[in-house]
Amino acid sequence: MLKIRQSGFTGPVWAVNPRAEEVAGEPAYPSVTALPQTPDLAVLAVPPEAVPGVAEDCGRAGVRALVVLASGLDATQARRLLHSCRRHSMRLVGPNSLGIAQTDPAVRLDAEFGGAFPVPGSAGVAAQSGGVGIALLERLAWLGIGVSSFVSLGDKYDVSGNDLLQWWEDDQRTDLALLHLESFGNPRAFARTARRVTRTIPVLTVDAGRSAAGRRGAASHTAAAATPTVTREALFRQAGVTATRGISELVDTAALLHSQPLPGPRGAVAVVSNAGGIGILAADACVEAGLSVPPLPDDVTAELAALLPPAAGTANPVDTTAAIGPAELLACVELLTRSQAVDALLVCLVPTALTPGADQDLLRTLLDGPARRRVPVTAVMLSQEIPTRCRPCADGGQLPSYADPTAAARALAHALDRARWLAEPPGVEARAADCDPDAARQLVADFLAAEPDGGWLDPARTARLLSCYRLPLTPSVLASDEAGTMAAARSLRGAGHEGKVVLKAHVPGLVHKSVSGAVRTGLADESEVRTAYREFAERFGDRLAGVLVQPMAAPGLELLAGVVQDRVFGPLVVLGLGGTATEVLDDRVARLAPLTEADLTTMVTELRSAPLLLGRPGFPGVDLTAVGRTLAGLSRMATDLPEVAEADLNPLIASPDGLACVDARVRLRPAAGFDPYLRQLRRPPATPTEEER
Amino acid sequence: MLKIRQSGFTGPVWAVNPRAEEVAGEPAYPSVTALPQTPDLAVLAVPPEAVPGVAEDCGRAGVRALVVLASGLDATQARRLLHSCRRHSMRLVGPNSLGIAQTDPAVRLDAEFGGAFPVPGSAGVAAQSGGVGIALLERLAWLGIGVSSFVSLGDKYDVSGNDLLQWWEDDQRTDLALLHLESFGNPRAFARTARRVTRTIPVLTVDAGRSAAGRRGAASHTAAAATPTVTREALFRQAGVTATRGISELVDTAALLHSQPLPGPRGAVAVVSNAGGIGILAADACVEAGLSVPPLPDDVTAELAALLPPAAGTANPVDTTAAIGPAELLACVELLTRSQAVDALLVCLVPTALTPGADQDLLRTLLDGPARRRVPVTAVMLSQEIPTRCRPCADGGQLPSYADPTAAARALAHALDRARWLAEPPGVEARAADCDPDAARQLVADFLAAEPDGGWLDPARTARLLSCYRLPLTPSVLASDEAGTMAAARSLRGAGHEGKVVLKAHVPGLVHKSVSGAVRTGLADESEVRTAYREFAERFGDRLAGVLVQPMAAPGLELLAGVVQDRVFGPLVVLGLGGTATEVLDDRVARLAPLTEADLTTMVTELRSAPLLLGRPGFPGVDLTAVGRTLAGLSRMATDLPEVAEADLNPLIASPDGLACVDARVRLRPAAGFDPYLRQLRRPPATPTEEER
């Protein structure tokens, strides 16, 4: 109340309290209905048990929005609160919110109890955690970026990050959106909105709960299911959201995106320093952040050599030596920012032995110039105590300066990711030709009719389902005895690599087939096939439910591809390296379905092992068209059939001539909507219970 | 001069200048010999061309040490300077040094021109780059750690990081050594010294030149060969040196090591925060830094629950909620630091909505307690503008506090590495039994007699050399024609997996054997062998110099092991994943030879793919004794035979039953000492040239 007054709110404010005459020096009204006018917004600073009653009063009085500060509402209180909001079409921030703030001079509302009045500026901030929200406000104020509007989302029964994104998209005062989200109520809606908004303004988030320990904390903290890292990463990547690993990284990146243009999508950084040792550390930091620090072209090094002292280093990093003056530094910056070989510039300055304050003089020269040049420029000031600053330039713009080259490099790397994302063609859904979704749906329906709880498909049904999406499953025959095995081997040999076949024991419950001696490869003739069959029969006895016979695949790179259904996020398509060794190395990329055409390429290039797929001197790579076709088919299948709980094509043996899927597993379960707990919170029952009326 | 006086130097100071009566208000003497006493130290602030003459004057006058500030000495000037130092037994700092400082109250010497007088304290600092040195002094002053002694090493013609380590080891005022090194003159001496000194005090370094771009900068900056990352990492790892990736990380880590005990070697961190959202981010940062944040034992969570508000989270991270007061926080800290389940404690505090300055009050409670507890305690203060501080405690100790949980986590992770290193048994050289070094030396001598420039050994000599060190090379026969191939296959079949053999075309100059169709595996009978031979003959024609026949190895995990000679560092032993896919994934560990017994284990456990070697449920792992034997043999070979320029055992096929080395290459070259350029700088010719006399 006091804070709303002190912030200079331009509209009327009333205090309501049934048991006091006065609140913070203002007269108090006994109830909302007793107010002289109907307020637009009510801030409920009452204990949890009073929330439902007050909310209903507000709704009846015609209030249009609530901010609920209380935390720890029980399920009944939550339901009643939501019911009132829905019945009276009130929007709701919280509960467990610290409040909201709007710094527009026409409004100047500070209805949050976090600390100082947020410094007005251009960043929109929405935080699920109150503590994180306060820290963000404080750091944005230090930076000189400031806040356009702030919402402490709390438990997000109604207003979510998604709503804020839509608001900021049209808000002229906001040029940067900062989100802290620990859980997602409706990730698909979020993805849709974010994908659009990030085309206009940068959307940054702290990716919280990346570790199991962090997710354990998030689960107890937000009472919502924590999301696996790979799923969140896919969401952020596809929506163009800049996902950072902490508050400092978020703010460091905001400083750059707020003040500088984006780098060219090549990401070539020129590093300039007045102390060689610092330039080296900055170059290391850039490369480790995913940028490149390439040697400069000969004409540029020649010009630099003419400009700089004789002892200067003109490779990249450029070492100007401590003897450089402001005019030479400026000429050097002009030269590099004009060069087409340079996509971003990092200028590292240290105090020098020669002239006290020389680094400050050099920085001043930069600040006297234009804030924005052709490429982003960032300063690294080793003598700066505060980690990150936006320094005001003569032309009214800002130049970010960092105390630590690592922070500058990481911010530039995020800017590069954004530049590349913006350069990607907007998403056109990946085409999966010649699919037969009707047959697939029929297969799924038949299976679930027999198995209402779902389960794993047998090999034959697996093959049939996959074939509906043109997914390349190596032909196989399930034989039940020795004679059948021999016949199958005869019929399949011709399709095998070097005329060979593979036998796999079908032993229900067996997990690691290759380790348990249940796979025999490279069987060249009748006698080898017979021997292999008899070995299976002896080893597994009654457990042997059959033998799968396949033509042997040509040797190649083992990949895996598949679909996983996330309870909240929906289906994800995954691509990775397969095989035993690579399971430990965990080289995988995921995307939310449906995939776009661009995803089919970037999923390959984002793998650490991309060079193996793309090929390199002496190694031919694999059939990328076939990989793309597989991913598109999986995406289509996942989108068509929410009943596919998981599908695994593993291994997919990839060669220059194609893909062979040697083994696949598909699990079905009845399709469900959103998580029931979330649904309950977000969609209160249409008919309130007796108690709630 | 002025600075030496102003710093309050306790001894006499004289100025020497042949062309001035006065320097900085002091009378100037025309030469060193004209001084009333012989000084211990001379600081040479003269241009490069005057350095050799003045140095010789100093030497003749009996000066015991020089600091040379000039940079850009040419080769002749450098040689003359070094000759004077050697002849007169003078020690030399620089050239290209910013000077030295000694803050001992009994001395108070500030003979550096970096900026302010270094704040006295307990860190010894030696920096190759002047700019890095200045930045380190400044940041240590901010932290309240301060400096015991400082040396700007410059081009290190004589005094190096190694000398400083030895000095600090015995210096009572120094409890922390900070090094910035861009090149190594004598890494083996450094390793020996550092390995000893790090047992007593922490030795920290900035690992500069990790990227190709950084090394390019280092090469141009220090005129010394840049060292590959893997080699430097091996050196630091084996010597127990804490290698950080930048100045901020160095200082952050110094703050912790300076003020807190080391964590237990398990590395279990308890995270406590008064805002759940921050605790989650801190837990993520800990896990990503390599620490663990395990769930707390039931008795601890029960005690916490009794202590904290009902809404608190008692898992790990512990969320005290914003409602906590100083007494409860202190009780919570006491409880956790006493628990045997906790090896380190991270306390994250944010300003809360409830009480302004609450985070400061909570911190004050911590500072009122003892600075050092059973386990290290660090604070993360989100409202702190300066990234890192050492806060004074009531008992005179210090508590480090960080603005960013990531920085705190990284510092703790370095402390954990140090704790683990100290817990390792001191190095006993790995035993390689039954070696025949005399035969190996004879083979090398014979080869180099015939090939004075060195080269690759042929397959037979490779096998013989490796067998001198009991290195498991699969038997093979080099056949020159079809009949020989058939005979070899017959004799070797029995040793092959499933009685099969492998044929490899010996085609000089062919790089990628497996891609070029020069390898045929799994040949089961005479006709398959013959067909394979004829295919080779047809494909390679005259280029086919022979055919290598081997028994086929049992399937297993492909590893590689080998030796690389570094020009400056000497031999390195390398272990990694082999095979095509893993080359791209680059999972390798290296150690400088000779290896210790402990290295044989840690080289395996430090691989990312360690689980594949160690085994896990369903997968048996590999024969680790055989892996250790191989590494020990390689280490012994590399130590005995400096002529081994490189040796590659690749692939080594590892199974539970042993190792099979299927292919190996060894290159010999005449043994050389240190890099001639470095040798010239460090050891001037005994007889000076005419010009230098």
Side-chain angles (χ1 to χ4, degrees):
Chain A
M1 179 72 204
L2 194 61
K3 231 177 150 194
I4 296 176
R5 276 272 183 254
Q6 284 173 344
S7 67
F9 178 53
T10 54
V13 192
W14 302 282
V16 175
N17 190 319
R19 284 181 303 277
E21 298 277 296
E22 244 184 33
V23 169
E26 308 260 347
Y29 294 82
S31 73
V32 176
T33 39
L35 294 178
Q37 262 178 262
T38 302
D40 290 331
L41 171 73
V43 180
L44 270 57
V46 300
E49 56 276 15
V51 165
V54 178
E56 179 61 21
D57 285 354
C58 288
R60 287 192 184 145
V63 170
R64 292 171 52 204
L66 300 181
V67 174
V68 176
L69 308 183
S71 62
L73 273 66
D74 65 25
T76 308
Q77 290 159 352
R79 245 193 336 267
R80 290 179 57 200
L81 169 61
L82 277 164
H83 182 70
S84 294
C85 288
R86 167 157 285 218
R87 177 154 56 185
H88 302 294
S89 298
M90 282 188 296
R91 296 308 301 264
L92 167 64
V93 171
N96 196 12
S97 166
L98 294 186
I100 61 172
Q102 165 57 280
T103 63
D104 187 339
V107 181
R108 286 190 61 80
L109 173 66
D110 182 15
E112 52 79 36
F113 65 132
F117 182 68
V119 171
S122 60
V125 178
Q128 197 162 345
S129 152
V132 172
I134 293 174
L136 283 177
L137 289 187
E138 200 159 43
R139 297 203 177 186
L140 290 169
W142 295 343
L143 271 184
I145 293 183
V147 169
S148 63
S149 43
F150 168 73
V151 175
S152 165
L153 296 168
D155 294 342
K156 329 191 273 185
Y157 282 13
D158 174 22
V159 170
S160 67
N162 200 14
D163 295 300
L164 271 299
L165 281 185
Q166 295 184 52
W167 159 255
W168 290 324
E169 185 180 17
D170 296 325
D171 178 32
Q172 293 306 313
R173 294 181 62 247
T174 302
D175 66 13
L176 200 63
L178 271 53
L179 296 174
H180 168 258
L181 302 174
E182 288 173 351
S183 63
F184 291 88
N186 188 346
R188 304 202 147 249
F190 176 83
R192 247 187 337 266
T193 308
R195 207 187 304 240
R196 192 183 65 234
V197 176
T198 47
R199 297 257 159 214
T200 318
I201 59 172
V203 177
L204 291 85
T205 186
V206 189
D207 186 16
R210 302 184 301 277
S211 64
R215 283 193 294 280
R216 194 165 58 233
S220 78
H221 181 229
T222 63
T227 313
T229 307
V230 65
T231 313
R232 275 198 328 273
E233 279 175 356
L235 174 68
F236 294 142
R237 168 68 181 77
Q238 284 174 272
V241 171
T242 301
T244 63
R245 301 167 90 79
I247 291 174
S248 296
E249 189 176 320
L250 179 79
V251 170
D252 291 345
T253 307
L256 182 70
L257 292 175
H258 168 71
S259 61
Q260 292 293 311
L262 292 175
R266 207 175 26 175
V269 182
V271 174
V272 176
S273 76
N274 69 339
I278 300 294
I280 292 165
L281 294 175
D284 286 343
C286 284
V287 171
E288 286 172 354
L291 303 158
S292 72
V293 184
L296 295 168
D298 291 345
D299 57 329
V300 176
T301 57
E303 283 192 71
L304 283 172
L307 210 59
L308 296 173
T314 55
N316 192 9
V318 175
D319 173 10
T320 67
T321 78
I324 197 177
E328 291 98 325
L329 180 70
L330 197 61
C332 177
V333 167
E334 295 292 355
L335 174 64
L336 290 169
T337 51
R338 271 199 318 265
S339 165
Q340 292 301 322
V342 173
D343 298 319
L345 184 63
L346 206 67
V347 182
C348 304
L349 301 173
V350 289
T352 66
L354 301 172
T355 325
D359 60 334
Q360 299 297 329
D361 294 342
L362 294 173
L363 176 66
R364 208 160 303 126
T365 308
L366 280 183
L367 301 179
D368 285 344
R372 294 175 79 92
R373 295 164 189 268
R374 190 184 64 85
V375 299
V377 178
T378 76
V380 172
M381 297 295 292
L382 267 289
S383 65
Q384 172 177 313
E385 271 194 272
I386 295 174
T388 307
R389 302 179 61 174
C390 281
R391 310 242 184 194
C393 294
D395 65 0
Q398 290 177 322
L399 184 79
S401 82
Y402 301 87
D404 181 5
T406 311
R410 234 168 21 201
L412 267 178
H414 281 303
L416 175 63
D417 284 344
R418 176 162 167 76
R420 287 182 174 161
W421 188 79
L422 287 174
E424 277 177 21
V428 179
E429 189 174 332
R431 277 178 304 278
D434 301 325
C435 292
D436 188 351
D438 292 336
R441 285 199 192 94
Q442 190 57 52
L443 186 152
V444 168
D446 290 350
F447 179 82
L448 290 174
E451 304 271 358
D453 295 332
W456 294 100
L457 292 185
D458 59 39
R461 282 205 183 84
T462 300
R464 260 172 51 215
L465 179 61
L466 293 176
S467 73
C468 293
Y469 293 94
R470 295 288 171 266
L471 292 167
L473 194 53
T474 297
S476 66
V477 173
L478 184 62
S480 53
D481 56 17
E482 184 175 317
T485 302
M486 300 308 296
R490 264 192 304 276
S491 72
L492 291 171
R493 270 194 67 172
H497 176 65
E498 297 176 347
K500 293 175 180 167
V501 295
V502 173
L503 257 57
K504 298 179 184 174
H506 182 38
V507 180
L510 193 70
V511 182
H512 295 297
K513 274 188 198 160
S514 57
V515 176
S516 317
V519 179
R520 288 295 311 271
T521 61
L523 307 174
D525 56 32
E526 297 252 325
S527 78
E528 289 187 353
V529 172
R530 193 181 311 274
T531 308
Y533 177 86
R534 291 183 180 170
E535 276 173 18
F536 286 168
E538 185 171 339
R539 173 168 302 169
F540 300 107
D542 288 350
R543 293 160 61 215
L544 189 67
V547 170
L548 208 67
V549 187
Q550 291 187 315
M552 192 166 92
L557 181 67
E558 284 192 24
L559 302 177
L560 65 84
V563 171
V564 192
Q565 283 277 357
D566 184 276
R567 202 164 54 111
V568 178
F569 282 64
L572 255 89
V573 178
V574 179
L575 175 70
L577 268 193
T580 310
T582 43
E583 178 186 317
V584 168
L585 299 171
D586 195 25
D587 186 21
R588 293 178 191 208
V589 169
R591 294 276 194 279
L592 298 180
L595 303 183
T596 65
E597 282 291 326
D599 288 332
L600 304 184
T601 306
T602 57
M603 285 184 78
V604 170
T605 54
E606 285 175 20
L607 285 173
R608 268 185 289 141
S609 44
L612 295 178
L613 282 79
L614 302 174
R616 65 211 149 108
F619 291 90
V622 309
D623 180 348
L624 295 174
T625 311
V627 173
R629 203 163 47 226
T630 304
L631 293 172
L634 285 169
S635 169
R636 181 77 193 275
M637 179 175 78
T639 316
D640 285 349
L641 307 173
E643 297 87 354
V644 173
E646 47 188 308
D648 249 326
L649 313 189
N650 183 13
L652 270 175
I653 301 183
S655 70
D657 308 318
L659 273 186
C661 180
V662 171
D663 205 354
R665 305 190 314 159
V666 175
R667 186 165 64 84
L668 300 183
R669 65 159 179 222
F674 286 124
D675 165 43
Y677 177 67
L678 288 174
R679 193 168 44 186
Q680 170 204 323
L681 283 182
R682 301 186 61 85
R683 299 192 200 134
T687 320
T689 61
E690 199 56 37
E691 185 212 4
E692 288 164 25
R693 258 175 240 275
Chain B
M1 179 73 203
L2 194 61
K3 230 177 150 195
I4 296 176
R5 275 268 181 258
Q6 285 172 344
S7 65
F9 178 53
T10 55
V13 193
W14 301 283
V16 174
N17 191 317
R19 284 180 303 276
E21 298 276 297
E22 248 184 29
V23 171
E26 309 260 347
Y29 294 82
S31 73
V32 176
T33 41
L35 295 177
Q37 259 179 266
T38 303
D40 290 331
L41 171 73
V43 180
L44 270 57
V46 299
E49 56 277 15
V51 165
V54 177
E56 179 61 21
D57 285 353
C58 288
R60 286 191 184 147
V63 170
R64 291 169 56 202
L66 301 180
V67 174
V68 176
L69 309 183
S71 62
L73 273 68
D74 65 26
T76 308
Q77 290 158 354
R79 244 193 336 266
R80 289 180 59 201
L81 169 61
L82 278 164
H83 183 69
S84 295
C85 289
R86 168 155 282 222
R87 178 155 56 185
H88 302 294
S89 298
M90 283 187 296
R91 296 307 302 263
L92 167 64
V93 171
N96 196 13
S97 166
L98 293 186
I100 62 172
Q102 164 59 278
T103 63
D104 187 340
V107 181
R108 287 190 61 81
L109 173 66
D110 183 14
E112 52 80 37
F113 65 132
F117 181 68
V119 172
S122 61
V125 179
Q128 195 161 347
S129 152
V132 172
I134 294 174
L136 283 176
L137 290 187
E138 201 161 42
R139 298 205 176 183
L140 290 170
W142 295 343
L143 272 183
I145 293 184
V147 170
S148 62
S149 42
F150 167 72
V151 175
S152 164
L153 295 169
D155 294 342
K156 326 193 274 185
Y157 282 14
D158 174 23
V159 170
S160 67
N162 200 14
D163 296 300
L164 271 301
L165 283 185
Q166 295 185 50
W167 161 256
W168 291 323
E169 185 180 16
D170 296 325
D171 179 33
Q172 294 305 314
R173 296 181 61 246
T174 302
D175 66 13
L176 200 63
L178 271 54
L179 297 173
H180 168 259
L181 302 174
E182 288 173 351
S183 63
F184 290 88
N186 189 346
R188 305 207 144 244
F190 176 83
R192 248 188 335 266
T193 308
R195 207 187 302 239
R196 192 182 66 234
V197 176
T198 47
R199 296 257 158 212
T200 318
I201 59 171
V203 177
L204 292 84
T205 188
V206 188
D207 187 14
R210 301 184 301 277
S211 64
R215 281 194 293 280
R216 195 164 57 232
S220 78
H221 180 229
T222 63
T227 314
T229 306
V230 65
T231 313
R232 274 197 331 271
E233 279 176 357
L235 174 68
F236 294 142
R237 168 69 182 77
Q238 283 173 274
V241 170
T242 301
T244 63
R245 301 166 91 80
I247 291 175
S248 297
E249 189 176 323
L250 179 78
V251 170
D252 291 345
T253 307
L256 182 70
L257 292 175
H258 168 73
S259 60
Q260 292 293 312
L262 292 175
R266 209 177 22 179
V269 182
V271 174
V272 176
S273 73
N274 68 339
I278 300 294
I280 292 164
L281 294 175
D284 286 342
C286 284
V287 171
E288 287 173 352
L291 303 158
S292 72
V293 184
L296 295 168
D298 290 347
D299 58 329
V300 176
T301 55
E303 284 192 70
L304 281 172
L307 210 60
L308 296 173
T314 56
N316 192 8
V318 175
D319 174 9
T320 67
T321 77
I324 197 178
E328 291 97 324
L329 180 71
L330 197 61
C332 177
V333 167
E334 296 291 354
L335 174 64
L336 290 169
T337 52
R338 271 199 319 267
S339 165
Q340 294 300 322
V342 174
D343 298 319
L345 184 63
L346 206 67
V347 182
C348 304
L349 301 172
V350 289
T352 64
L354 300 174
T355 326
D359 59 334
Q360 298 297 330
D361 294 343
L362 294 171
L363 176 66
R364 208 161 303 127
T365 307
L366 281 183
L367 300 178
D368 285 343
R372 294 174 80 92
R373 296 163 187 268
R374 193 184 63 84
V375 299
V377 177
T378 75
V380 172
M381 297 295 293
L382 267 290
S383 64
Q384 172 178 310
E385 271 194 271
I386 295 175
T388 307
R389 301 179 61 173
C390 279
R391 309 244 186 193
C393 293
D395 65 1
Q398 291 177 320
L399 184 80
S401 82
Y402 300 87
D404 180 5
T406 311
R410 233 168 23 198
L412 267 178
H414 281 303
L416 175 63
D417 284 343
R418 177 163 167 73
R420 287 182 174 162
W421 189 79
L422 288 174
E424 275 177 22
V428 179
E429 189 174 331
R431 278 178 305 276
D434 301 326
C435 293
D436 188 349
D438 293 335
R441 284 199 193 96
Q442 190 58 52
L443 187 153
V444 168
D446 291 348
F447 180 82
L448 289 175
E451 304 271 357
D453 295 334
W456 294 101
L457 292 184
D458 58 40
R461 283 205 184 86
T462 300
R464 260 170 54 212
L465 179 62
L466 293 176
S467 75
C468 292
Y469 293 93
R470 295 289 172 265
L471 292 167
L473 194 54
T474 298
S476 66
V477 172
L478 184 63
S480 53
D481 56 18
E482 185 175 316
T485 302
M486 299 308 297
R490 265 192 304 277
S491 72
L492 291 170
R493 272 195 66 174
H497 177 64
E498 297 176 347
K500 293 174 180 170
V501 295
V502 173
L503 259 56
K504 297 178 184 173
H506 181 40
V507 179
L510 193 70
V511 182
H512 294 298
K513 277 190 197 159
S514 57
V515 175
S516 318
V519 178
R520 288 295 310 271
T521 63
L523 306 173
D525 56 31
E526 297 251 327
S527 78
E528 289 188 353
V529 172
R530 195 182 310 276
T531 308
Y533 178 85
R534 290 182 182 169
E535 277 174 18
F536 285 168
E538 187 173 337
R539 176 168 300 166
F540 300 108
D542 289 349
R543 293 161 61 215
L544 190 67
V547 170
L548 208 67
V549 187
Q550 290 187 315
M552 194 166 93
L557 181 67
E558 286 193 21
L559 302 177
L560 65 83
V563 171
V564 192
Q565 284 278 354
D566 184 277
R567 203 163 54 111
V568 178
F569 281 64
L572 256 89
V573 178
V574 179
L575 175 70
L577 267 193
T580 310
T582 44
E583 177 187 317
V584 168
L585 300 171
D586 195 26
D587 186 20
R588 295 178 190 208
V589 168
R591 293 277 194 278
L592 298 180
L595 302 183
T596 65
E597 282 292 325
D599 288 332
L600 304 184
T601 306
T602 57
M603 284 184 78
V604 170
T605 54
E606 286 176 19
L607 285 172
R608 268 186 290 143
S609 44
L612 295 177
L613 282 79
L614 301 173
R616 65 209 150 112
F619 291 90
V622 310
D623 179 347
L624 295 174
T625 311
V627 173
R629 206 164 44 226
T630 304
L631 293 172
L634 286 169
S635 169
R636 180 77 193 275
M637 180 175 77
T639 316
D640 286 348
L641 308 173
E643 297 87 353
V644 173
E646 49 188 306
D648 250 326
L649 312 189
N650 184 12
L652 271 174
I653 301 182
S655 70
D657 308 319
L659 273 187
C661 178
V662 170
D663 205 355
R665 304 190 314 157
V666 176
R667 186 165 65 83
L668 300 183
R669 67 162 176 218
F674 286 122
D675 166 42
Y677 177 67
L678 289 174
R679 192 167 45 186
Q680 171 203 321
L681 284 183
R682 300 184 63 83
R683 297 190 200 138
T687 319
T689 61
E690 200 57 36
E691 185 213 2
E692 288 164 26
R693 257 176 242 275

